[in-house]
Amino acid sequence: MAVDKPPQLVKDYWRLYRRRSLFFVVAMQIIATLVIVIALMLTGIVDPTTMIFWIIITAIAATAVGINILVFSVLSEPLQMLSHALAHAAGESTTTTPPNPNIRRFEKSGFKPLLQTIYELGGHQPDQAAVATVEKSLPFESILNTTPTGIVFLKEGTVIYANKSAPVHLDSDGGLQLDIITDVDQSIPDWIAECEEHAVNATKTWRRVANKLVGEDERRIYDMTASYQKGSEVDVVLALVERTDEYLPEDNDLDFISFAAHELRGPITVIRGYLDTLGDELADRFADDEQELFNRLVVSANRLSGYVNNILNAAKYDRRHLTVHLHEESVADIYDAIKDDMQLRAVAQNRLLAVSFPADLPAVAADKAAIGEVLGNLIDNAIKYSNDGGSVTVSAQVAQNDVEISVSDQGIGMPGNVVSNLFHKFYRSHRSRETVAGTGIGLYICKAMVESHGGTISVKSVEGQGSTFSFTLPIYATVAEKLKAGDNTTEGLIQHHDGWIKNHGSMRG
Amino acid sequence: MAIKTILCIEDDRFIGEMYVRSLKKAGYEVDWVVDGNDGLIAARNKSYDVMLLDVMLPERRGTEILEALRGGKKDLIPNTKVVILTNFDQNDESRLAMQHNAQAYLIKAEITPKKLLSLIKQLDSDDA
């Protein structure tokens, strides 16, 4: 009999236990009745041949069985509830409703904490479990459409369900397409591919992802959490909490500042122009520390110009108006264009800037002006975040099909939690907010520009010892064919990223 | 043919003066006009070796001047090298259209007079 077999699943236990117990109760009642009948017959108190005797005996036996079953049910209810709760906590699929710890009689009897403990141990909230078990009986679609949180189910990378609040559109084939721009973060398909390779279940949160580009109508900004479960009916569930009100003001600020920044370029043109001219014309007439003070003017004007460029480039990137035009360039030539400026900045702030590139370094595919700005930003940061008298080292080496360029300092460094957010727009570490001026868009635009070349940017940092920022650029020979086919844009070169830079002055500066 | 004559169409007085001063010092003959209409007339009346063209101009924008001079079937300034100088990045479309009809497209804030001189020398040597 099945009763004798040990239960294999938690949910089976209660059924087997109940059956066995009831069988036991009824059997015991029958035995007890028989004992009484025999005793009555032997003592001769009643006459067993009369009909009334058997009717009374049967009635007593039936009533006793009924009462015993009732008593059993009442007394064993906690066990029943615990079994159900355990089955849910264990994650077994079951048709029972998980007991609600908030029922008044459970509260009164003190049973509530037991259930709560089980749910906490199992990590399953009873409400969630309840949803999972009654899914067939509730009109889920209409319920999910009432929440302002966007819910999206993905199966093998395809959207199979999206509620009303989710940012999706119908494509020409009638399929649902997710409208989410992950910017400098890992894209959703990349993350799913990584999960498929390495994880059974995983979650990831993206902050500040938008459905549309800056400047487009009905733009909404979300914090998005994705959960992945291998082999589940839906691989990925996305939950998008709208935070437009919180994030939009900063984007609008940048938009306005970029508008105003164009105006700044007029005076900057004149300041930089005359500083450059007068630097030569006055060189012989400078006395004492005048040359050094003049150099500070030059450094400050160049910095100002660089910051304005960062703002304009970030605003352009946000609208995807930034493209790069890649040409065969040597790393040394790219650096040469900003060399005087960088050396002057280092000297003016008492830093030693050591730059050396191997003579046999292959040519890279790069937009000279864009990579000049990336390098300028990284060197400027290294100067800013290092100590007086410290050194900044710029080097390059071949790494497979890329050239890796590194900028190192022996400065203040950063803790790990700062590093992970470093390339996000407007991000400033708590400490740098207090000690060093900045906008939090320099590294954001660096990452965008490097990735628009098909490269990657990364940072290694030890607090108190310094940081090394490295970025890669494709070796020209490895991408020459693709570039020629694509008119020197990165079309076809970068296929994994959903938002690369589209425009950049190819003959600037 | 060595570059000698330069037309500068620039409405910002400080910027215009700055470029003109350096170019004259370097020995070029420079004519400077401050609005788009005068710029177009000047370009039609005399053949310059180089035209420095601002984009945001009163009366007639730089894009329109370039279109009037080079947009038709006949190039009206076949012997002139056009250098576009702007501080307002154009969108891709109009910038590409201008680049198509010009030898260089530069951001003014990045171009000091010294760099402008070396660029003009480079245009000269490209031609030689």
Side-chain angles (χ1 to χ4, degrees):
Chain A
M1 227 166 88
V3 177
D4 298 323
K5 288 183 186 168
Q8 296 296 309
L9 288 168
V10 176
K11 67 175 177 181
D12 291 332
Y13 177 74
W14 167 250
R15 199 164 37 86
L16 298 175
Y17 175 80
R18 185 165 175 270
R19 194 193 297 170
R20 196 164 48 191
S21 301
L22 288 176
F23 176 76
F24 187 67
V25 166
V26 174
M28 287 308 289
Q29 194 59 54
I30 291 169
I31 290 167
T33 309
L34 285 176
V35 169
I36 290 169
V37 167
I38 291 165
L40 289 174
M41 282 165 66
L42 289 177
T43 51
I45 295 171
V46 292
D47 180 6
T49 55
T50 59
M51 191 60 149
I52 193 77
F53 169 75
W54 290 108
I55 289 172
I56 290 170
I57 288 294
T58 308
I60 289 172
T63 309
V65 166
I67 289 170
N68 277 332
I69 289 174
L70 190 67
V71 169
F72 167 77
S73 299
V74 172
L75 292 183
S76 66
E77 192 201 31
L79 184 61
Q80 181 187 8
M81 293 299 139
L82 288 176
S83 305
H84 288 348
L86 278 168
H88 284 283
E92 292 180 5
S93 74
T94 150
T95 52
T96 59
T97 308
N100 182 354
N102 297 321
I103 291 175
R104 186 173 289 174
R105 66 191 158 96
F106 289 165
E107 276 184 31
K108 268 189 184 169
S109 67
F111 188 59
K112 180 181 175 177
L114 277 77
L115 281 177
Q116 279 178 331
T117 306
I118 289 173
Y119 288 134
E120 278 163 21
L121 288 175
H124 280 64
Q125 293 304 313
D127 293 347
Q128 288 176 341
V131 166
T133 55
V134 292
E135 63 186 284
K136 287 191 180 92
S137 59
L138 275 180
F140 266 88
E141 294 206 7
S142 57
I143 293 172
L144 287 179
N145 282 338
T146 61
T147 172
T149 299
I151 305 284
V152 178
F153 297 160
L154 297 171
K155 176 78 176 169
E156 289 162 4
T158 309
V159 177
I160 57 167
Y161 167 77
N163 72 347
K164 234 179 191 172
S165 303
V168 290
H169 71 267
L170 274 175
D171 63 16
S172 52
D173 300 330
L176 284 170
Q177 292 294 330
L178 191 62
D179 295 326
I180 281 295
I181 301 156
T182 44
D183 260 344
V184 297
D185 273 314
Q186 191 177 27
S187 73
I188 300 169
D190 283 356
W191 177 73
I192 295 175
E194 191 183 292
C195 288
E196 279 170 352
E197 208 160 303
H198 303 294
V200 175
N201 53 47
T203 57
K204 180 178 167 73
T205 300
W206 284 259
R207 303 215 177 274
R208 193 191 276 278
V209 292
N211 62 335
K212 295 191 175 172
L213 296 175
V214 173
E216 291 182 344
D217 287 341
E218 293 179 31
R219 182 166 182 267
R220 295 182 203 288
I221 313 172
Y222 304 87
D223 283 344
M224 174 172 75
T225 302
S227 33
Y228 172 83
Q229 180 71 48
K230 197 187 277 297
S232 169
E233 274 181 58
V234 284
D235 305 331
V236 176
V237 178
L238 299 178
L240 297 110
V241 181
E242 192 183 336
R243 296 236 187 272
T244 310
D245 291 346
E246 198 179 319
Y247 291 141
L248 196 63
E250 277 183 324
D251 279 329
N252 286 342
D253 286 351
L254 180 66
D255 217 28
F256 170 75
I257 291 166
S258 78
F259 184 70
H262 276 118
E263 293 290 334
L264 299 181
R265 273 183 161 173
I268 289 173
T269 306
V270 178
I271 293 168
R272 292 185 81 190
Y274 277 126
L275 284 175
D276 199 27
T277 311
L278 293 177
D280 288 347
E281 292 179 9
L282 297 179
D284 298 337
R285 286 190 260 165
F286 282 136
D288 304 323
D289 58 354
E290 283 169 4
Q291 177 70 60
E292 195 188 326
L293 300 181
F294 186 83
N295 286 349
R296 289 185 188 173
L297 282 178
V298 176
V299 166
S300 301
N302 291 348
R303 272 216 167 125
L304 177 60
S305 183
Y307 298 152
V308 167
N309 283 345
N310 279 349
I311 291 168
L312 292 174
N313 285 331
K316 271 207 287 188
Y317 170 67
D318 283 347
R319 290 165 182 270
R320 297 298 183 273
H321 283 176
L322 203 65
T323 44
V324 290
H325 295 274
L326 306 190
H327 298 278
E328 186 174 6
E329 304 280 359
S330 85
V331 175
D333 279 352
I334 294 172
Y335 178 71
D336 270 351
I338 60 165
K339 184 178 161 190
D340 293 347
D341 183 17
M342 292 300 130
Q343 285 295 350
L344 207 55
R345 285 191 206 193
V347 170
Q349 293 191 263
N350 196 25
R351 308 287 196 274
L352 183 72
L353 177 58
V355 182
S356 73
F357 303 120
D360 59 350
L361 200 65
V364 292
D367 183 319
K368 194 174 174 184
I371 295 305
E373 279 178 28
V374 171
L375 209 45
N377 268 302
L378 295 182
I379 294 173
D380 196 62
N381 275 349
I383 290 173
K384 268 203 285 197
Y385 293 97
S386 58
N387 305 313
D388 195 41
S391 65
V392 173
T393 313
V394 183
S395 60
Q397 60 180 32
V398 173
Q400 291 173 333
N401 288 333
D402 297 319
V403 167
E404 187 181 59
I405 301 162
S406 301
V407 178
S408 304
D409 66 69
Q410 278 85 50
I412 56 176
M414 293 164 283
N417 61 334
V418 171
V419 169
S420 59
N421 290 314
L422 218 48
F423 296 101
H424 285 126
K425 188 158 70 164
F426 304 123
Y427 179 77
R428 309 233 33 239
S429 74
H430 180 66
R431 193 175 48 192
S432 70
R433 263 178 220 278
E434 289 169 0
T435 56
V436 184
T439 52
I441 55 171
L443 289 174
Y444 169 72
I445 197 64
C446 282
K447 188 172 195 308
M449 280 177 165
V450 167
E451 288 183 350
S452 73
H453 282 68
T456 57
I457 189 165
S458 62
V459 56
K460 283 183 202 143
S461 189
V462 180
E463 200 171 8
Q465 293 182 28
S467 311
T468 298
F469 284 83
S470 303
F471 64 94
T472 60
L473 293 172
I475 291 173
Y476 183 75
T478 64
V479 293
E481 291 303 317
K482 280 182 187 169
L483 282 177
K484 279 173 193 156
D487 194 23
N488 283 353
T489 63
T490 50
E491 215 82 38
L493 187 61
I494 313 161
Q495 284 157 341
H496 63 282
H497 208 274
D498 59 354
W500 61 79
I501 302 182
K502 275 266 163 137
N503 157 40
H504 203 71
S506 58
M507 290 194 68
R508 285 190 305 156
Chain B
M1 193 182 73
I3 289 172
K4 204 176 165 203
T5 56
I6 297 173
L7 172 63
C8 175
I9 310 174
E10 168 63 66
D11 68 318
D12 185 306
R13 204 174 139 218
F14 283 7
I15 295 176
E17 267 178 10
M18 180 174 78
Y19 289 148
V20 170
R21 180 182 181 274
S22 289
L23 292 169
K24 280 191 171 163
K25 270 197 161 198
Y28 296 105
E29 283 173 25
V30 189
D31 290 333
W32 171 29
V33 295
V34 296
D35 85 46
N37 276 341
D38 292 350
L40 182 57
I41 292 165
R44 293 293 307 267
N45 283 345
K46 183 173 160 186
S47 174
Y48 291 93
D49 298 329
V50 168
M51 179 162 80
L52 304 178
L53 180 61
D54 191 10
V55 177
M56 305 294 272
L57 286 165
E59 306 296 335
R60 200 183 281 265
R61 290 167 60 103
T63 42
E64 296 170 75
I65 294 173
L66 201 57
E67 182 64 24
L69 292 170
R70 285 197 163 152
K73 278 183 188 164
K74 195 176 162 214
D75 185 353
L76 300 176
I77 45 167
N79 300 317
T80 307
K81 293 184 169 27
V82 178
V83 175
I84 292 156
L85 286 163
T86 181
N87 269 336
F88 282 80
D89 291 1
Q90 315 299 307
N91 62 38
D92 243 13
E93 209 175 314
S94 63
R95 201 197 69 189
L96 286 174
M98 291 188 84
Q99 267 178 315
H100 181 68
N101 282 326
Q103 274 63 47
Y105 179 98
L106 305 161
I107 300 295
K108 280 191 271 190
E110 302 293 329
I111 289 294
T112 60
K114 225 158 65 175
K115 284 186 186 168
L116 184 64
L117 286 173
S118 75
L119 177 94
I120 290 172
K121 277 198 189 110
Q122 198 192 320
L123 288 175
D124 216 0
S125 60
D126 284 353
D127 209 27

